[in-house]
Each structure stands twice: as C-alpha cells, then as structure tokens.
Amino acid sequence: MYFAALLARTEDGWEASDTELDDVETLSDLAELAREASPEDDTVLVLIEQEDAWFGVVRIDGEDDPRIYVSDAAAAARSSYGEILLTDELLGREPEDDGPDLDTLDLDGTEDGEDEDDDESEGGGSAEAVPHGPVGDPEILDDLGVGQKELKALSEDALTEIAEALGASEVLETVR
C-alpha cells in the first residue's frame, strides 16, 4: 500500500493535500503536480512511502529542478511509484541507457551462439545499477530542520517524523 501527500509551505505554515499518483508517469509530471499545489512558487514537498519498505521525498522550489531523496533504491525500483523517482541522473547512469541493448547483439555473423551468456551479463548489469540503500540528496531537508543524519536514520514511520520536524504533523495527519 502506498501513501503520497503534498506539503506546500505558505505564509500561514504548511498545507497538506492527499495526492493521487495514478496519472503521474514521469518526474516532470510529479513536479508539475507539485507546482500546481503552490501558485506562489513556495517550497513543495512530495512525500511518498510504501508500507515501511521505502520512502521518498521530492522537493520543488519554484521553477528549480526537483531534488530527490529515496531511502532504499533497490526497494523503490520494484515499485511503480519508485520508478518515477529513480531517474538515470539520480542513479548515476547516462540518460540514454540504450547502449547495452546494442552491445548484446551478436554481430559476428553467427546468430545462435551465445544468447544465454548475453542474457546473464545483461541481467547482472541491471541489478548492479540500482544500489541497496539511500540515493539522492541527503541534504534535501537541512534548511527545514531535518539534517542528513536524521534523514538517513528514519525508517518505519519516516513521513510522520519528517512532518513533526517541519511542524506539519497535524496537517499531514488530516490527509492520511
């Protein structure tokens, strides 16, 4: 089960809204959804969690590029919403990672030779591409009161703890 919410910082404090991510396919879609929650170009946090398996924070400050933190990239990679956050840039891959498909083609004139070996090496490469553990910007919430050490130490009820540190726990609970 997933939970996703938007926290928008306004002059009056934090405002929370429950959000549906079914129509969100890319990080750009998610950033646009977040920007719509704050017409004043204030800071907006997208908080996503999957039943204590992983959580993610996306921070949008006006028109700046989104900043992302994911608590466990390997767990998130097995999730449809996690895939939105795990961009090539975040994982340190080249944006157009179509190269391995071309490299696995057997162009030496034999068509039946080493298909099994190619499949094994391709599978091993993709598993190594997504690390176990946190990825992204661990300083994403530093100026909001959640330091790098605290963020990395969060586990079971991470979104509630983040909201408490921001002074937004009551508004987050209203959308849970």
Side-chain angles (χ1 to χ4, degrees):
M1 183 167 146
Y2 292 94
F3 172 72
L6 297 175
L7 282 180
R9 186 167 58 178
T10 67
E11 291 177 3
D12 300 325
W14 291 95
E15 292 181 7
S17 57
D18 190 9
T19 188
E20 190 62 46
L21 298 179
D22 290 343
D23 295 331
V24 175
E25 295 180 10
T26 66
L27 182 59
S28 296
D29 293 344
L30 185 61
E32 185 62 32
L33 180 70
R35 286 184 181 106
E36 289 173 5
S38 177
E40 300 295 321
D41 288 339
D42 291 320
T43 298
V44 179
L45 301 176
V46 181
L47 305 174
I48 302 172
E49 72 179 353
Q50 180 189 6
E51 288 187 15
D52 302 328
W54 66 274
F55 71 91
V57 178
V58 179
R59 179 177 178 161
I60 292 93
D61 293 304
E63 292 299 317
D64 293 347
D65 287 341
R67 294 169 57 193
I68 305 166
Y69 177 82
V70 176
S71 66
D72 185 340
R78 294 185 296 270
S79 147
S80 57
Y81 296 134
E83 290 177 353
I84 295 168
L85 306 181
L86 297 175
T87 62
D88 288 336
E89 181 181 342
L90 189 71
L91 296 173
R93 297 188 298 215
E94 291 297 319
E96 294 183 29
D97 205 9
D98 294 335
D101 293 338
L102 295 176
D103 293 341
T104 59
L105 292 176
D106 187 6
L107 300 176
D108 67 358
T110 61
E111 294 185 10
D112 294 334
E114 302 171 313
D115 289 346
E116 291 180 28
D117 292 338
D118 288 346
D119 289 343
E120 289 173 17
S121 66
E122 183 180 337
S126 64
E128 293 173 18
V130 180
H132 291 276
V135 295
D137 183 356
E139 299 172 352
I140 192 169
L141 300 173
D142 274 359
D143 64 325
L144 300 175
V146 182
Q148 181 175 340
K149 277 185 172 180
E150 293 87 2
L151 188 62
K152 287 183 176 183
L154 295 175
S155 57
E156 286 186 27
D157 207 11
L159 299 189
T160 299
E161 292 181 40
I162 290 170
E164 284 175 9
L166 299 174
S169 57
E170 287 181 21
V171 294
L172 182 64
E173 286 305 312
T174 62
V175 297
R176 265 199 193 254

